[in-house]
Amino acid sequence: MPNPSTLTDTPYKSATSITQTRKKMLIDEVKADVERDIKDTLYTVDTNEFLKNIIPKTPDWRQSLQKLKNQDQYEGYRWANFPKTPPDEKSLYGPLAEALNAIVAIVPEELVQTNIVYVDRHNRTPKSLEKEMAAARPDGAGAQLDANLPVVDDDVDGQLDELSSGKLDSPAEHTEAKKKLLWWMSIHIVYEIKVDKSDTERFEAVMQLLTYMRQVLMEQLDRRFVLGFVLLFDELTLVLCDRSGVMVAEKAINIHTEAKKFIQIIMGFSCMTPVQLGWDPAMEIYHPRTKDIQPSYKIAHNFEGVKGKGRYNIHWVIDVVQDGKVEKYVTVAIISAVRSAELCGRATVVYEVVKFDEKENPKKTYALKRYWRPIRTDSNPELYPSEGQIYDILDKDKADEMKHAIVCHDIKIDHEVDSTFKLISRNKVVTIYKRPVKPLLPQKRKEIDADAELRLEVRGEVSHSDPARPVERYHTNVLMPMGEVIKMFSCRLELLKCFRDYVEEHKDCHKRLILHRDISSGNLLIFEADDGSTFGRLMDFDHAKKASGMRKIESKVAGLSPLELDKRRDNVRRLVQRKVDDNVVDIALKWLDKEVSAIAYIDEAAESTDPSKENSGKTLCPTDLGWANTDATKPHEWPDFSERTPSPGERTGTIPFMSAEVIARESLFELHGKTKLPTFTHQAIHDIESLIWVLIYLCITRKGPGLQMRRNELDNTSPDYDEELEKVVLNLFEGNASQVKETKFSLARNPDLIAFEKQVVAYFHPYFEPLKPYVCQWWAILLLGYRYRGEEFYNIHDHIIRLLDKAITKIGQDVTEDGQAQLESRKKYKEKRLAIFRDSTTPQSASILVEHTAAPGPSQIVQG
């Protein structure tokens, strides 16, 4: 694991991938996601503090216990029907559900804030809005009472089996059976039961519970945090999961001998408002046909109450604060929810929205991003600005229509910022959870988890007895202009012009000391101007960083005497393969103090810019190599990120489009005969490399512009399926972080550029054939930048802009392509999405071609 002192950037989570189709998620994959989410954010908290801060006070427990005794629910010092020595956990399912509901039944009606019924569904997976969801089965759950759910699983198994097999002929029987289904969206509380009371079993039970909590967060986009518990025979342990991590009560409660606390907990859940149970009061479901607006948990059991099929077609009404007032927006579709289930992280969800009052005839559509942004309390706020402050810097002096954000604000609940540490957990002091040490077993297979070594090292650095402070996170709204993702390009010329716009905008941001750091296909958008022309914009600066100022990089020839400089010029000029003027030599020596390095640099730059040697007899000047013809003795100014330290925790990036250097957090090459840089810093060139990987991804996986243009060769059910092509996509984009890094490292370190052509560019779809030479040259420029840290490194924007200008001119002259039909198709597609609010009798299309995910975890899915 890299030493934190050598990092200037917060490490990325180590697995993010993309894939073409939405596939069934396996429960083992969910467990792996849970482990990745909480590998160093699993905490313990004092049980009494947990009860004091989270569970509200309830009526006198003595009276409550006496009522339960009178009802024969509590006998002596034990709950009725609980076995003294259970043969297995199944013998606990029914008795626990009965005890829980008996406690709920004695809560005074005037104190009930949330109607909860506890149900035993240990052998039946809760109903999901997505067929691809993993088949997780919690041992029991506290769900919304409005669903009229039977308590014990055995009572309803037969009828539910008949429902699933289609054997119910009567509409009334069908309707009645559907009411008995437990929906993930209606769950308030989840729990897990085990028999063994060992530390190992407790840990395993908590981890199992977290798979259910992750599923809850995946299904319930309006859920801020989740409460639950594990029961080891007769010992109950409370668990709270918010976006800063997981808190486990340190001491278990014996439900028999500590009936007071047990009653307080279960009565407390019913006395808690939905907001206190983790629901978001600023989100409700809107039904276009009935015009009803209700909390999701009240209609989740009635599938007909949700328009369309799947969570991507649910319409949410969401509150956004603008100019001091609450403005309601309604979602048209979900743009991305790939990280919504994160137990610890930003849990970003992006929606396409319109103003609720304008929904029948919207003037504009917007992108609304909701996420949990990390807060640094130990640093200079000017050096670590929030996303909203980043936009203030970028949008200064810009027209309203060109601003990145319309509004950015922290969400408040009862006038208090919705935060994980201050509001949800109420500043509880926590310690790192001490995981049980399992005995070493003979190794039967190689370790395939790329995080295993990293996790062990992280845990080894932490003292389990030391207090810890989870990363504080604020719940945030960002309302932005809405464009089309880059895969919706209308023609090759529009594609290239948009990429030029992205590089140009990145250059402007860099001048303002801002570096994006999360270039992906979802952050590259196409916008339409008032005159109908289109342009590209770089959006979503959630992971951007800000430099403290500009630093001067001194020239290595600045202190040389004229005699010494002439001598070094002669030595270089005598050995380079092409004729060059003094300015070329001076610029090379400006960056490289060794003459042999300067010679190699000039030769490679000449080969890159003139591979056919058309100008072999010409004396090359700086502009022939794409270099700025400037005074080589003057220092170069560059944003200074040296004062930054890594933020706590990890940040999630889009690994398929990352530079290999960023994934590995190390430089590709030894520089000028020296060892690798001791400190890795994310720089502008890494973002520009991300741009080329997005372009390559489009060229390899798509067969042209517009909708539904995924290549048939990548569909293993198609007669055109190409296993070799799929392997290329896997290695470059869809594999794990280690696989993607090694593939890109191998390509970058290969001195023969032909390897890049054969292993990458050769797999472009024929439609993108005209782009091949420019992609190859872009790659060559990047390698020059990495290898020599000279002009191509520090002026990377200008190099790529010149290259794209050249490509735009050439393709504009040589390629005849009318993109108007695709522009019209884009417009009609957008109108169709918005028609749901005007014509609510027409079912919405179930195929919304935006970035989807059906499976929890860090897998970004690009569909279409």
Side-chain angles (χ1 to χ4, degrees):
M1 176 183 174
N3 187 330
S5 65
T6 68
L7 301 176
T8 60
D9 294 321
T10 308
Y12 283 93
K13 285 190 176 178
S14 58
T16 303
S17 62
I18 53 178
T19 186
Q20 179 233 348
T21 57
R22 302 166 71 181
K23 63 180 181 179
K24 183 77 173 179
M25 191 75 173
L26 301 177
I27 193 65
D28 285 345
E29 294 176 296
V30 179
K31 289 179 179 178
D33 289 334
V34 167
E35 179 61 44
R36 181 169 47 245
D37 280 355
I38 61 145
K39 68 175 188 279
D40 52 2
T41 57
L42 182 62
Y43 308 102
T44 58
V45 62
D46 180 80
T47 301
N48 290 326
E49 285 296 310
F50 198 123
L51 293 174
K52 177 183 175 182
N53 288 299
I54 303 298
I55 309 298
K57 292 182 178 181
T58 53
D60 182 67
W61 69 274
R62 294 180 182 85
Q63 293 182 12
S64 301
L65 187 58
Q66 188 59 51
K67 288 181 181 179
L68 292 165
K69 286 181 177 180
N70 294 340
Q71 298 171 5
D72 296 328
Q73 295 291 339
Y74 188 78
E75 301 170 346
Y77 294 98
R78 298 189 65 78
W79 292 92
N81 302 321
F82 265 85
K84 293 183 179 180
T85 54
D88 53 43
E89 65 184 61
K90 291 182 179 179
S91 62
L92 298 174
Y93 296 145
L96 178 60
E98 291 175 10
L100 296 173
N101 286 304
I103 296 173
V104 170
I106 65 171
V107 180
E109 186 176 348
E110 67 274 12
L111 296 180
V112 174
Q113 296 292 327
T114 305
N115 293 318
I116 301 177
V117 59
Y118 291 90
V119 296
D120 163 20
R121 290 292 187 273
H122 65 274
N123 62 357
R124 188 173 297 278
T125 303
K127 191 72 173 175
S128 171
L129 290 179
E130 298 289 349
K131 294 180 180 179
E132 296 83 5
M133 288 297 180
R137 294 198 301 266
D139 288 340
Q144 182 67 17
L145 181 61
D146 301 345
N148 297 316
L149 292 167
V151 173
V152 182
D153 198 28
D154 295 339
D155 296 340
V156 296
D157 261 352
Q159 196 171 15
L160 292 181
D161 286 339
E162 290 181 348
L163 173 66
S164 60
S165 62
K167 293 180 180 179
L168 296 179
D169 297 327
S170 165
E173 288 181 328
H174 189 272
T175 300
E176 189 62 27
K178 287 192 71 174
K179 288 182 179 179
K180 297 175 182 178
L181 293 169
L182 173 64
W183 287 77
W184 281 108
M185 285 187 69
S186 67
I187 291 176
H188 295 294
I189 307 290
V190 286
Y191 59 85
E192 171 70 6
I193 299 174
K194 300 287 185 186
V195 175
D196 184 8
K197 295 194 284 187
S198 67
D199 289 342
T200 298
E201 194 72 357
R202 182 174 186 246
F203 172 71
E204 294 298 331
V206 169
M207 295 301 289
Q208 188 67 34
L209 179 71
L210 294 180
T211 64
Y212 310 145
M213 288 183 164
R214 202 176 201 280
Q215 199 88 345
V216 167
L217 293 172
M218 170 60 69
E219 297 266 348
Q220 300 174 5
L221 296 180
D222 53 343
R223 198 68 182 264
R224 300 153 49 237
F225 62 91
V226 186
L227 283 162
F229 61 85
V230 298
L231 183 73
L232 305 186
F233 181 28
D234 55 7
E235 292 185 350
L236 183 147
T237 301
L238 284 166
V239 179
L240 182 149
C241 169
D242 63 24
R243 309 304 182 161
S244 287
V246 177
M247 283 174 281
V248 181
E250 187 172 23
K251 184 178 181 298
I253 297 165
N254 189 293
I255 64 172
H256 300 300
T257 61
E258 297 179 275
K260 168 190 173 181
K261 290 183 178 179
F262 181 46
I263 293 171
Q264 177 192 348
I265 291 168
I266 304 309
M267 292 183 73
F269 288 154
S270 293
C271 294
M272 294 169 74
T273 65
V275 172
Q276 291 174 315
L277 287 171
W279 296 92
D280 190 338
M283 291 182 68
E284 292 184 300
I285 286 181
Y286 171 68
H287 193 312
R289 187 175 68 249
T290 64
K291 313 300 182 185
D292 288 340
I293 300 176
Q294 296 185 60
S296 63
Y297 52 84
K298 287 193 174 183
I299 65 171
H301 65 284
N302 179 7
F303 190 63
E304 287 76 20
V306 179
K307 183 68 176 177
K309 295 182 179 180
R311 64 185 186 136
Y312 280 87
N313 290 314
I314 292 177
H315 301 289
W316 296 94
V317 175
I318 304 176
D319 294 344
V320 178
V321 177
Q322 289 182 259
D323 300 323
K325 297 184 297 184
V326 174
E327 181 80 54
K328 291 189 178 295
Y329 288 81
V330 60
T331 64
V332 178
I334 296 177
I335 299 172
S336 178
V338 294
R339 297 178 181 124
S340 63
E342 284 180 332
L343 301 179
C344 180
R346 285 171 164 83
T348 303
V349 182
V350 185
Y351 305 89
E352 181 180 13
V353 301
V354 296
K355 288 185 176 181
F356 186 78
D357 292 341
E358 299 176 356
K359 60 185 178 299
E360 284 82 11
N361 188 26
K363 298 176 183 177
K364 288 183 179 180
T365 60
Y366 308 87
L368 176 61
K369 181 173 74 170
R370 292 168 64 84
Y371 73 112
W372 294 85
R373 67 181 181 93
I375 305 298
R376 289 193 64 139
T377 58
D378 60 343
S379 56
N380 178 0
E382 292 187 4
L383 196 57
Y384 301 91
S386 67
E387 183 178 3
Q389 291 168 328
I390 292 283
Y391 293 139
D392 289 341
I393 295 169
L394 297 180
D395 294 341
K396 186 178 180 181
D397 304 325
K398 288 188 178 180
D400 288 345
E401 61 271 15
M402 291 304 296
K403 290 184 177 179
H404 292 84
I406 298 165
V407 64
C408 182
H409 72 85
D410 293 326
I411 298 166
K412 292 186 176 182
I413 294 179
D414 293 332
H415 309 291
E416 187 175 354
V417 172
D418 189 12
S419 61
T420 55
F421 189 64
K422 294 178 182 177
L423 181 65
I424 296 173
S425 63
R426 293 297 178 185
N427 301 297
K428 288 195 299 293
V429 176
V430 298
T431 56
I432 299 296
Y433 189 101
K434 187 175 182 180
R435 303 185 183 211
V437 178
K438 293 184 178 181
L440 292 176
L441 298 174
Q443 188 172 1
K444 295 182 180 180
R445 60 181 176 83
K446 292 183 178 180
E447 177 63 69
I448 59 172
D449 182 353
D451 280 336
E453 184 178 351
L454 176 62
R455 281 201 298 273
L456 290 172
E457 290 183 2
V458 169
R459 291 174 194 161
E461 296 170 357
V462 178
S463 171
H464 296 297
S465 61
D466 291 342
R469 183 185 176 94
V471 176
E472 170 75 302
R473 293 183 181 274
Y474 285 2
H475 204 185
T476 301
N477 272 338
V478 183
L479 188 69
M480 300 172 283
M482 181 70 194
E484 299 289 352
V485 291
I486 187 60
K487 70 176 183 180
M488 302 281 282
F489 69 95
S490 64
C491 62
R492 282 164 291 216
L493 203 55
E494 182 184 58
L495 179 67
L496 289 173
K497 287 181 178 179
C498 282
F499 269 84
R500 189 201 186 282
D501 292 338
Y502 302 143
V503 179
E504 186 72 59
E505 184 171 13
H506 193 276
K507 178 182 178 181
D508 179 69
C509 296
H510 201 242
K511 287 181 179 178
R512 297 172 189 251
L513 307 181
I514 303 297
L515 190 63
H516 191 283
R517 296 198 302 172
D518 188 22
I519 302 293
S520 70
S521 58
N523 293 335
L524 306 179
L525 301 186
I526 306 170
F527 285 84
E528 184 175 337
D530 292 339
D531 62 1
S533 62
T534 59
F535 58 95
R537 292 196 65 190
L538 186 57
M539 301 296 287
D540 197 355
F541 285 73
D542 181 8
H543 295 297
K545 68 176 179 179
K546 180 181 179 296
S548 58
M550 301 295 281
R551 67 183 176 95
K552 291 184 177 181
I553 302 173
E554 297 296 335
S555 169
K556 300 184 186 306
V557 300
L560 298 178
S561 67
L563 183 63
E564 178 63 20
L565 181 57
D566 283 341
K567 180 180 177 181
R568 298 193 69 183
R569 284 172 178 163
D570 290 342
N571 291 340
V572 171
R573 205 164 30 232
R574 187 173 63 254
L575 295 175
V576 292
Q577 297 178 10
R578 306 281 287 274
K579 294 180 180 180
V580 295
D581 66 15
D582 285 350
N583 288 336
V584 168
V585 177
D586 290 353
I587 291 172
L589 291 171
K590 170 184 178 178
W591 300 111
L592 304 164
D593 51 4
K594 290 188 175 182
E595 292 170 9
V596 64
S597 298
I599 293 166
Y601 180 30
I602 293 171
D603 286 343
E604 285 195 39
E607 176 67 21
S608 171
T609 53
D610 186 24
S612 61
K613 296 182 174 56
E614 293 178 0
N615 299 319
S616 56
K618 176 184 176 182
T619 299
L620 300 179
C621 65
T623 55
D624 293 323
L625 303 182
W627 296 355
N629 196 3
T630 57
D631 187 346
T633 63
K634 290 184 177 180
H636 184 84
E637 290 196 339
W638 189 249
D640 183 8
F641 297 105
S642 63
E643 294 183 23
R644 289 180 53 90
T645 57
S647 296
E650 295 178 303
R651 59 192 177 95
T652 306
T654 313
I655 284 176
F657 307 121
M658 282 185 194
S659 157
E661 285 198 347
V662 174
I663 299 175
R665 300 193 293 276
E666 63 177 86
S667 55
L668 276 164
F669 303 102
E670 294 183 354
L671 304 176
H672 331 319
K674 299 179 182 179
T675 58
K676 295 177 183 178
L677 294 177
T679 300
F680 174 78
T681 304
H682 193 135
Q683 299 284 5
I685 194 171
H686 299 115
D687 280 1
I688 301 304
E689 184 185 342
S690 291
L691 280 173
I692 196 177
W693 287 121
V694 175
L695 181 58
I696 289 170
Y697 179 77
L698 295 174
C699 293
I700 288 180
T701 63
R702 302 186 76 78
K703 54 188 176 184
L707 294 166
Q708 302 190 48
M709 296 301 287
R710 180 83 175 184
R711 288 177 72 169
N712 298 334
E713 298 96 315
L714 294 171
D715 179 0
N716 58 15
T717 65
S718 169
D720 299 327
Y721 173 64
D722 185 336
E723 186 176 0
E724 183 179 352
L725 177 64
E726 186 179 52
K727 185 176 180 181
V728 170
V729 174
L730 178 69
N731 289 333
L732 287 173
F733 303 105
E734 296 179 1
N736 59 38
S738 177
Q739 187 175 3
V740 173
K741 181 198 75 174
E742 291 304 321
T743 302
K744 292 179 179 179
F745 259 39
S746 175
L747 287 168
R749 286 173 169 160
N750 192 324
D752 187 357
L753 289 175
I754 298 298
F756 178 75
E757 294 183 41
K758 290 182 177 180
Q759 297 175 35
V760 178
V761 177
Y763 292 92
F764 282 17
H765 187 273
Y767 173 84
F768 297 100
E769 183 74 25
L771 276 59
K772 284 183 174 181
Y774 305 103
V775 171
C776 290
Q777 193 167 350
W778 189 335
W779 181 249
I781 291 169
L782 289 170
L783 294 191
L784 276 173
Y786 287 132
R787 191 171 285 123
Y788 296 103
R789 299 264 168 160
E791 288 294 306
E792 293 78 12
F793 186 92
Y794 290 105
N795 294 304
I796 185 65
H797 300 101
D798 294 337
H799 281 269
I800 304 304
I801 288 171
R802 281 194 293 268
L803 175 65
L804 289 172
D805 282 341
K806 182 178 172 183
I808 290 167
T809 300
K810 181 69 173 173
I811 290 177
Q813 292 173 347
D814 297 352
V815 178
T816 302
E817 182 180 13
D818 183 9
Q820 191 59 38
Q822 289 297 336
L823 290 174
E824 290 298 322
S825 178
R826 274 202 322 234
K827 185 176 180 180
K828 289 179 181 178
Y829 170 63
K830 185 173 183 178
E831 290 174 350
K832 183 179 179 180
R833 296 203 307 269
L834 296 177
I836 182 64
F837 300 119
R838 291 194 296 270
D839 183 11
S840 59
T841 61
T842 302
Q844 185 179 8
S845 170
S847 178
I848 299 296
L849 298 179
V850 293
E851 290 190 12
H852 284 316
T853 183
S859 300
Q860 178 162 319
I861 296 173
V862 179
Q863 188 179 22

